[in-house]
Amino acid sequence: MDAIIYCRVSTDKKTQETSLQRQQEELKKLADLHHLDVKKVVMEKASGYEVDREGILDVLHTMKEEKISVLLIQDETRLGRGNARIALLHAFHKENATIYTISHQGQLQLSESDSMVLDIISLVEEHQRKLHNAKIKRGMKRAVENGYRPQQNLKNQGVNSGREKKEAPIEEIVRLRHNGLTFAEISVTLKGFGYNISKATVHRRYQEYQESAQSLDKTKEI
């Protein structure tokens, strides 16, 4: 299996340089022990309490893009500390990654409390996903009940199907707004029909439409 080595120290002190090198050497030996093919080594100096570390984000991105399934670390504190550790454990779990540590000389063994927390997070995410889908379904149903006909109004139906549309026609935003939908409901409704558009973008487009309409009215008056 392919693997990534991740090494971290928390300070820029020169004395920590030897720690990084030692971690790397020990993790390469661990990889050899388990017949893992190391594709990349990431080393960084950053606090374990931070999630948005350049090195760990690079690891996550590489594992996802290159379909690498194993992460090698000295111990779970190298991954992170406090809430950051739990957040990153969850992130790697979602990528179906297996974590090997030197301290376990193999796969990371989570404590009972950590396993319970990760189970709770996964459960909450699943309910959030169901709630989000329910909101989309409700918005679509409400739009159709108010006269919205996507098969008649949305252009290029069936063209490039499978590719996400990046734009939504302003006339549909206006139509849905006039039918009483909130900007959030318009956003989830259009997402249900394949338009990747946020609530903020819907609001901005509608405001631009209103400003344009007002300018046109003033021009006519002149």
Side-chain angles (χ1 to χ4, degrees), residues 169-213:
I170 185 61
E171 61 268 19
E172 302 308 330
I173 293 176
V174 174
R175 185 196 304 274
L176 293 173
R177 182 61 175 166
H178 288 175
N179 284 340
L181 273 70
T182 66
F183 294 121
E185 288 173 332
I186 293 172
S187 172
V188 295
T189 298
L190 292 178
K191 284 180 180 178
F193 289 120
Y195 287 87
N196 185 22
I197 184 168
S198 68
K199 170 187 170 183
T201 301
V202 170
H203 181 265
R204 184 174 65 253
R205 299 267 175 84
Y206 186 73
Q207 290 294 105
E208 290 171 352
Y209 163 79
Q210 286 190 315
E211 291 172 1
S212 178

Side-chain angles (χ1 to χ4, degrees), residues 4-10 19-28 40-46 53 55-56 59 71-74 78-79 102:
I4 291 181
I5 285 177
Y6 175 71
C7 311
R8 182 186 66 80
V9 292
S10 58
S19 176
L20 282 175
Q21 293 300 324
R22 185 177 64 255
Q23 288 180 46
Q24 181 181 359
E25 291 169 4
E26 291 178 351
L27 288 169
K28 284 185 176 179
K40 189 172 187 176
V41 176
V42 176
M43 297 191 289
E44 71 175 342
K45 301 172 184 178
R53 309 190 305 264
I56 201 66
V59 170
L71 173 67
L72 296 166
I73 55 177
Q74 183 182 47
R78 296 305 91 197
L79 193 63
I102 294 172

Side-chain angles (χ1 to χ4, degrees), residues 3-222:
I4 291 181
I5 285 177
Y6 175 71
C7 311
R8 182 186 66 80
V9 292
S10 58
T11 70
D12 287 325
K13 293 181 180 179
K14 291 184 178 180
T15 53
Q16 294 297 319
E17 291 289 345
T18 56
S19 176
L20 282 175
Q21 293 300 324
R22 185 177 64 255
Q23 288 180 46
Q24 181 181 359
E25 291 169 4
E26 291 178 351
L27 288 169
K28 284 185 176 179
K29 291 179 181 178
L30 182 65
D32 291 339
L33 178 64
H34 292 278
H35 308 291
L36 301 171
D37 186 9
V38 176
K39 295 297 185 180
K40 189 172 187 176
V41 176
V42 176
M43 297 191 289
E44 71 175 342
K45 301 172 184 178
S47 170
Y49 291 99
E50 301 296 332
V51 174
D52 56 341
R53 309 190 305 264
E54 186 63 31
I56 201 66
L57 293 177
D58 183 27
V59 170
L60 281 165
H61 174 77
T62 303
M63 293 188 78
K64 184 173 184 178
E65 293 298 312
E66 300 184 16
K67 310 300 181 184
I68 297 175
S69 59
V70 178
L71 173 67
L72 296 166
I73 55 177
Q74 183 182 47
D75 57 62
E76 58 184 292
T77 65
R78 296 305 91 197
L79 193 63
R81 293 182 180 276
N83 293 334
R85 180 179 62 86
I86 290 295
L88 288 167
L89 283 172
H90 179 60
F92 284 107
H93 176 71
K94 288 177 66 176
E95 296 299 329
N96 295 316
T98 301
I99 301 176
Y100 282 69
T101 72
I102 294 172
S103 58
H104 290 97
Q105 281 298 297
Q107 291 189 33
L108 171 65
Q109 302 298 314
L110 294 175
S111 67
E112 185 176 343
S113 59
D114 283 345
S115 296
M116 182 175 65
V117 170
L118 291 174
D119 286 342
I120 291 172
I121 293 173
S122 296
L123 186 63
V124 170
E125 279 196 344
E126 175 64 16
H127 279 78
Q128 287 178 330
R129 184 186 64 78
K130 289 181 179 179
L131 179 60
H132 180 68
N133 289 340
K135 287 169 66 178
I136 291 177
K137 184 177 180 180
R138 177 178 179 273
M140 292 171 65
K141 181 179 179 181
R142 184 176 176 188
V144 171
E145 288 175 348
N146 282 286
Y148 184 58
R149 298 293 180 267
Q151 67 274 22
Q152 297 175 4
N153 300 321
L154 300 183
K155 298 179 182 179
N156 301 320
Q157 289 292 310
V159 178
N160 294 326
S161 59
R163 293 185 63 185
E164 193 174 48
K165 303 179 183 69
K166 298 300 183 182
E167 299 292 336
I170 185 61
E171 61 268 19
E172 302 308 330
I173 293 176
V174 174
R175 185 196 304 274
L176 293 173
R177 182 61 175 166
H178 288 175
N179 284 340
L181 273 70
T182 66
F183 294 121
E185 288 173 332
I186 293 172
S187 172
V188 295
T189 298
L190 292 178
K191 284 180 180 178
F193 289 120
Y195 287 87
N196 185 22
I197 184 168
S198 68
K199 170 187 170 183
T201 301
V202 170
H203 181 265
R204 184 174 65 253
R205 299 267 175 84
Y206 186 73
Q207 290 294 105
E208 290 171 352
Y209 163 79
Q210 286 190 315
E211 291 172 1
S212 178
Q214 291 173 359
S215 297
L216 183 60
D217 289 340
K218 290 181 180 178
T219 302
K220 288 180 179 179
E221 290 177 1
I222 295 174

